[in-house]
Amino acid sequence: MLNEKVAELLNTQVNKEFYSAYLYLAFSNYFSEEGLNGFANWYRIQAQEERDHAMLFVQYLQNNDAKVTYEAIEKPAFKADSHMDILKAGLDHERYVTGLVNNIYGTAYEGKDFRTMQFLDWFVKEQGEEETNANELIKKMELFGSDPKSLYLLDQELAARTYSAPSLTL
Ligand code: MG
């Protein structure tokens, strides 16, 4: 049996991960409209990963005989006055998600729910990587974003990103 409070937070996290996917799909649309198909590809793949995260939480809950409830997914909210706004909104969002994961971890720790702590270890590491990736994208845009030729090359680089399934299996 999972700790009741932990199970509730994990169920909320399912919704948060689906929201992340939704947000990144909206980012992808923004870049498609701007003609930056590499950036659009990068965020489309990011959205795929977020759906995977949601499903990992679902699977974990189901494996532990906990009820899964799908709530309404919020409309993506972000400011899009420039390309950089989107990238920064991405980093802010990942920091927010890191806080959510840490909060579940803390609650599992308090409840001596060692199984959930072990499950969440992968997400703690993953959030570190997500923040690094979001930061690197901002740095590249700062360096190269104002020069059209460099932006073209950066877009080409991001077009090469391919999807790979998460390394965590349950
Ligand atoms: Mg995620």
Side-chain angles (χ1 to χ4, degrees):
M1 272 287 283
L2 293 181
N3 172 297
E4 199 179 317
K5 180 71 189 155
V6 169
E8 195 187 311
L9 289 173
L10 289 170
N11 195 87
T12 301
Q13 195 62 26
V14 172
N15 187 278
K16 299 288 183 183
E17 299 292 342
F18 277 125
Y19 174 78
S20 299
Y22 216 34
L23 181 69
Y24 290 139
L25 282 177
F27 289 0
S28 181
N29 282 354
Y30 165 88
F31 284 114
S32 286
E33 286 166 12
E34 293 290 313
L36 289 167
N37 291 329
F39 281 85
N41 173 65
W42 200 88
Y43 280 113
R44 200 180 312 112
I45 289 169
Q46 195 64 27
Q48 256 175 304
E49 283 193 359
E50 299 303 344
R51 281 196 296 273
D52 289 338
H53 294 167
M55 293 315 294
L56 284 167
F57 282 101
V58 169
Q59 187 67 60
Y60 180 75
L61 284 162
Q62 288 175 339
N63 286 356
N64 287 281
D65 210 21
K67 188 175 160 57
V68 179
T69 309
Y70 294 125
E71 303 291 350
I73 300 166
E74 254 183 85
K75 182 179 174 177
F78 58 95
K79 183 166 85 100
D81 296 333
S82 69
H83 305 333
M84 190 59 104
D85 277 350
I86 303 287
L87 304 193
K88 286 188 172 163
L91 177 60
D92 285 348
H93 184 69
E94 287 305 333
R95 285 177 174 160
Y96 166 68
V97 173
T98 298
L100 294 173
V101 169
N102 288 349
N103 181 48
I104 308 171
Y105 205 106
T107 308
Y109 177 79
E110 281 165 22
K112 289 190 162 52
D113 183 346
F114 302 114
R115 189 188 303 170
T116 298
M117 285 162 68
Q118 195 174 49
F119 164 69
L120 288 175
D121 279 337
W122 185 87
F123 284 93
V124 171
K125 187 163 176 280
E126 174 71 11
Q127 280 313 119
E129 288 169 13
E130 298 283 35
E131 286 187 33
T132 301
N133 292 340
N135 243 323
E136 279 179 3
L137 215 48
I138 289 170
K139 281 184 188 148
K140 283 180 182 176
M141 186 62 102
E142 273 168 0
L143 285 168
F144 312 120
S146 57
D147 173 54
K149 278 182 204 157
S150 304
L151 182 62
Y152 177 78
L153 290 175
L154 180 54
D155 192 58
Q156 294 287 99
E157 181 191 317
L158 298 179
R161 183 182 184 186
T162 54
Y163 169 74
S164 59
S167 55
L168 177 65
T169 48
L170 295 176

